[in-house]
Amino acid sequence: MTDTAEHIATEPELPKQDKLQRALFRFRQSRLSMLGAVMVALVVFFTAFGTLLAPFPEHIAGGVDTAARFQPPSWAHPFGTNELGQDVLSLVMAGTTVSVLAGLSVVLIGTVIGTLVGAIAGFAGGWIDEILMRLTDLTLTIPGLILAMAVAAALGPGFTNMIIAISLSWWPGYARLVRGEVLAVREESYVNAARAIGASPSRILLRHILPNTVSPIIVKMSLDMGFAILMVAGLGFIGIGIRPPTPEWGTLLSVSRSYMPDYWWTAMAPGMAMFFAVFGFNLLGDGLRDILDPKARR
Amino acid sequence: MSEIMLEIDDVSKIYAGKRGMFGRSHMVEALKHVSLSVRRGESFGLVGESGSGKTTLTRSILQLERPTSGRVLFEGMDLGQLSTAEMRWLRARIQIVFQDPYASLNPRMSVHDIVTEPMLIHRETLGLNRRQRTERAVELLSLVGLGAQHLYRHPHEFSGGQRQRICIARALAPGPDLLVLDEPTSALDVSVQAQVLNLLCELQDKLGLTYFFISHDLGVVRYLCDRLALIYRGEIVEQGDCASVFDAPETEYARALIGAMPEVKVPPAA
C-alpha cells in the first residue's frame, strides 16, 4: 500500500491514434457511409473543376447554337442539347459549382449565426436565453421557403441575395441544437473545474463547452447540405433565385419543364445531378452521425 | 498549526424548488446553519450520506454557488464580499478535486493543456512563461506519479486512477494552500483508492497543504483526517477530533454510522 508509482508503469500504453482509427474503421465498415463519402468527393471534384472540364465551355457563358437545338443524347452530347442548342452536360457540370457553393454558403452562415445565438442563450441563461430562444421560435414558425421567397422578392434575384434569403431561415435549427448541447455540457464536472481554477466565462465557453459540441454540429451540417442544395434549386426553379444564363440546377430544371415530355433529356441531367448530390450528403451525414454522435451510437 | 484557514459561519442554502404554473413551490433546505472551521495544515473530514448537503457545501466554499445566508471566510476574507477579480485571484489558492475523474477532465484537451491551464489563467500571479509552464507541468506529473511521456495524451487514454492523478496535478498547478477533495476516491477501484489516498498523504507532507476532505466512507476519513464533522440532512450533527469521535461518539447518528462500518483493520499510516 506504500508504492504509488509502480502500478502506473506497468499499464499497457494505448496508441495515440487509437480512437480515431477505430472511428475510421467503423466508418469504412459501413458501405453506405463509404458510398456517401465517394459521392460527396465526386460532387466536390465537380464543384472545383466542373467549369474547366466542361466539353463546351462557350455554352456556359451563354453561347448558343440554334442549329443544334433539342438534339437527343449522343456521343457528342451525352445528355443532349437544350432549346438554345447548348450542351446540357456542360451546363450541369458548371451548375455544380453554383449549386454546391450556394448550399455550402447557406449552411456555413446558418451554422455561424445559429451557433452564436445558441451558445450565448445556453451559456448566459436567464432573460438573455428567453429573448434569443423566443426569437428563434418566431423564425421557426415562418416556413423556410416562404420566408426565403419573401426576402428574395424584396431584395431581388441574384446569388448573394438568395443566400441571404435562405440563411435567414436556416439558423434556428442550429441555435436550438447548440443551446441544447451547451446546456448539457455546461453541467459537466470539467466545466466546474474550469470555473474553480478561475477561468473567465469566454474561456469556459470557447475552450471547454463549444469544442465538446462540435460533433452534432458537423453531423447536422452534412445532413443539411443536401437540403440547402434543394432549397437553392427550389428558389431557382420558381424563378426568384439565380437567373439564367448562370447555369444552376434548379434554373435548368425550371426552363426544361416547358419542353417536357418531348425533350425529356433537358430535365434529366440536372435532376440526376441534384439527386446524386443530395443523396451523397445525406449518406455521409448519417455515416458521420454514427461515428461522431455518442448518443445515437449507444 | 492552530491558525484557522477556512471558516464556514452559519451557512444555509435553500433551493427554491421549481415554481410551477400554479405558483406552488416547495423549498429544499440543503444546508441548515452549518458552521465549521478548518485549521492550516490539517485534514478536515466531512462525512455524510448521499443528499446530506456535502456537495452543496463544497460548491459554496468554491463560490460556484452563493449560500442563501451565512459567510464563507478564507483567512478571514469573506468570499461572498470579494469582487469578481479578487475572487478569481483567490481561486488559485483554493482548489478542488472532483469525485468523478471520468467527467472532470475535458476530453478535447491534452494533459499538457489541462495541467497548464490554471498556470495560464494565473500567469500574472505565478509569473511563468510558456516554457516554464510546460516544465512545471512535467514536475507536477512526476509529483503525482505520472511521467513526461503522458504529457500530450488525452484523458480517454488513461485509467480512472491515472485520471484522478491528472486532476490532482491540475489542482496543484496554481500552487493552492487549501485543497477541497470531493470524494476523490469513491469512483475508483479499491486498490487504486489506496494508492490515491497515499499519494494525497505524501503530497500533504511535501507541500504543507490543508485538506477539506469530503467522503461517505468513514474508514477513509479515519485514515486520512485529523478532525471531522458529520453532516446529516444539511446539519452538522457532530464534530471533533477524529480519535475522540471514533472512540466516544456523542450522538446517536454518529454511533449508528460508526457501528455500521465494516470491520476492516486500517493499517497505521506509514
Side-chain angles (χ1 to χ4, degrees):
Chain A
M1 221 166 125
T2 44
D3 282 326
T4 53
E6 60 181 19
H7 170 77
I8 306 296
T10 55
E11 266 184 41
E13 298 197 350
L14 285 164
K16 192 175 162 60
Q17 257 89 45
D18 202 51
K19 201 181 177 185
L20 182 70
Q21 271 170 4
R22 246 180 295 156
L24 282 178
F25 178 74
R26 241 197 338 265
F27 189 80
R28 276 197 226 99
Q29 284 295 90
S30 156
R31 291 210 185 117
L32 281 179
S33 307
M34 282 310 286
L35 180 65
V38 170
M39 287 168 82
V40 168
L42 259 174
V43 170
V44 170
F45 177 78
F46 278 112
T47 305
F49 303 112
T51 315
L52 291 173
L53 295 175
F56 293 90
E58 68 274 16
H59 291 170
I60 296 165
V64 293
D65 182 2
T66 37
R69 297 175 73 214
F70 293 127
Q71 287 191 2
S74 62
W75 284 115
H77 304 286
F79 290 97
T81 59
N82 66 4
E83 78 285 358
L84 299 170
Q86 294 165 324
D87 179 46
V88 175
L89 177 65
S90 300
L91 295 182
V92 169
M93 282 169 79
T96 313
T97 312
V98 180
S99 294
V100 172
L101 284 187
L104 188 68
S105 315
V106 165
V107 170
L108 284 180
I109 296 172
T111 306
V112 169
I113 300 176
T115 303
L116 215 61
V117 171
I120 292 172
F123 189 59
W127 59 270
I128 298 176
D129 182 23
E130 204 64 38
I131 289 175
L132 288 176
M133 289 328 282
R134 292 303 80 78
L135 191 72
T136 308
D137 292 344
L138 195 73
T139 317
L140 272 175
T141 57
I142 308 167
L145 191 63
I146 309 281
L147 181 65
M149 278 169 66
V151 176
L155 297 175
F159 188 82
T160 318
N161 289 349
M162 182 200 54
I163 287 169
I164 294 173
I166 305 177
S167 301
L168 278 179
S169 65
W170 211 264
W171 61 270
Y174 289 92
R176 281 196 165 174
L177 174 78
V178 172
R179 174 178 176 268
E181 290 292 320
V182 167
L183 283 180
V185 174
R186 180 170 92 144
E187 299 305 320
E188 293 279 349
S189 253
Y190 56 80
V191 175
N192 275 324
R195 273 197 200 111
I197 58 175
S200 63
S202 61
R203 167 174 280 272
I204 290 173
L205 187 60
L206 295 176
R207 286 283 279 161
H208 296 273
I209 295 181
L210 279 184
N212 288 292
T213 64
V214 288
S215 299
I217 297 176
I218 288 174
V219 171
K220 188 170 166 60
M221 283 174 78
S222 68
L223 285 172
D224 266 7
M225 266 303 287
F227 297 118
I229 290 171
L230 276 184
M231 183 76 122
V232 170
L235 284 188
F237 186 80
I238 56 177
I240 52 174
I242 294 157
R243 285 275 172 92
T246 308
E248 186 270 326
W249 294 342
T251 319
L252 292 175
L253 265 185
S254 169
V255 173
S256 54
R257 193 174 52 115
S258 339
Y259 309 111
M260 290 282 278
D262 299 340
Y263 309 112
W264 51 270
W265 55 84
T266 52
M268 198 180 70
M272 274 174 27
M274 222 185 299
F275 169 80
F276 189 85
V278 174
F279 194 49
F281 277 110
N282 273 304
L283 286 181
L284 178 71
D286 274 338
L288 286 178
R289 181 169 56 198
D290 287 345
I291 62 166
L292 286 179
D293 193 345
K295 276 168 246 157
R297 197 194 309 151
R298 274 180 209 148
Chain B
M1 211 30 202
S2 62
E3 183 201 339
I4 287 171
M5 176 170 256
L6 176 75
E7 190 175 359
I8 291 160
D9 179 23
D10 199 28
V11 165
S12 298
K13 175 75 190 181
I14 298 168
Y15 288 107
K18 223 185 210 156
R19 236 186 320 135
M21 191 181 273
F22 303 105
R24 227 168 25 145
S25 74
H26 32 149
M27 301 184 305
V28 179
E29 275 191 89
L31 295 173
K32 296 173 205 164
H33 305 288
V34 170
S35 293
L36 48 84
S37 51
V38 180
R39 296 176 195 141
R40 182 178 295 280
E42 76 172 347
S43 293
F44 189 93
L46 181 71
V47 182
E49 56 197 54
S50 306
S52 57
K54 290 173 299 186
T55 302
T56 307
L57 189 57
T58 324
R59 294 178 63 92
S60 302
I61 293 173
L62 292 162
Q63 298 291 300
L64 296 176
E65 241 167 76
R66 300 244 151 188
T68 311
S69 67
R71 297 181 305 164
V72 177
L73 301 152
F74 181 78
E75 292 183 344
M77 288 176 278
D78 185 347
L79 297 187
Q81 299 295 317
L82 295 179
S83 69
T84 314
E86 288 169 323
M87 188 59 216
R88 234 185 106 171
W89 172 79
L90 200 67
R91 282 191 189 286
R93 305 191 48 205
I94 310 173
Q95 276 301 304
I96 180 163
V97 176
F98 288 99
Q99 176 175 6
D100 183 359
Y102 291 90
S104 51
L105 296 172
N106 185 342
R108 302 262 167 189
M109 284 166 78
S110 68
V111 172
H112 173 270
D113 291 350
I114 288 169
V115 177
T116 53
E117 189 176 30
M119 300 183 243
L120 181 69
I121 291 167
H122 296 285
R123 60 186 174 277
E124 278 142 42
T125 324
L126 299 169
L128 295 173
N129 65 30
R130 212 183 155 79
R131 206 197 154 118
Q132 289 167 320
R133 289 198 292 267
T134 303
E135 279 165 12
R136 181 158 156 77
V138 175
E139 279 169 33
L140 287 165
L141 285 182
S142 78
L143 200 60
V144 298
L146 294 172
Q149 78 274 18
H150 297 115
L151 200 57
Y152 294 103
R153 305 258 181 91
H154 283 76
H156 69 89
E157 298 171 58
F158 293 93
S159 66
Q162 288 175 315
R163 285 175 191 223
Q164 202 56 297
R165 287 166 195 268
I166 298 168
C167 292
I168 294 170
R170 169 177 62 191
L172 294 177
D177 301 298
L178 173 67
L179 214 52
V180 176
L181 303 157
D182 185 2
E183 307 207 38
T185 59
S186 61
L188 304 175
D189 290 346
V190 176
S191 61
V192 182
Q193 274 189 20
Q195 294 172 357
V196 172
L197 286 177
N198 283 325
L199 172 67
L200 289 171
C201 286
E202 281 170 32
L203 291 174
Q204 189 169 32
D205 287 346
K206 265 187 220 166
L207 306 171
L209 297 165
T210 305
Y211 285 165
F212 187 74
F213 190 92
I214 291 146
S215 183
H216 58 248
D217 186 339
L218 275 173
V220 167
V221 169
R222 184 180 205 170
Y223 174 62
L224 194 78
C225 296
D226 307 307
R227 292 194 308 135
L228 86 165
L230 298 180
I231 185 167
Y232 180 67
R233 294 196 174 174
E235 280 178 287
I236 301 286
V237 290
E238 181 154 348
Q239 65 175 312
D241 286 342
C242 230
S244 58
V245 172
F246 275 100
D247 294 341
E250 282 171 17
T251 57
E252 205 51 50
Y253 181 67
R255 272 193 287 276
L257 265 189
I258 291 163
M261 269 173 78
E263 283 294 316
V264 179
K265 292 279 173 284
V266 180

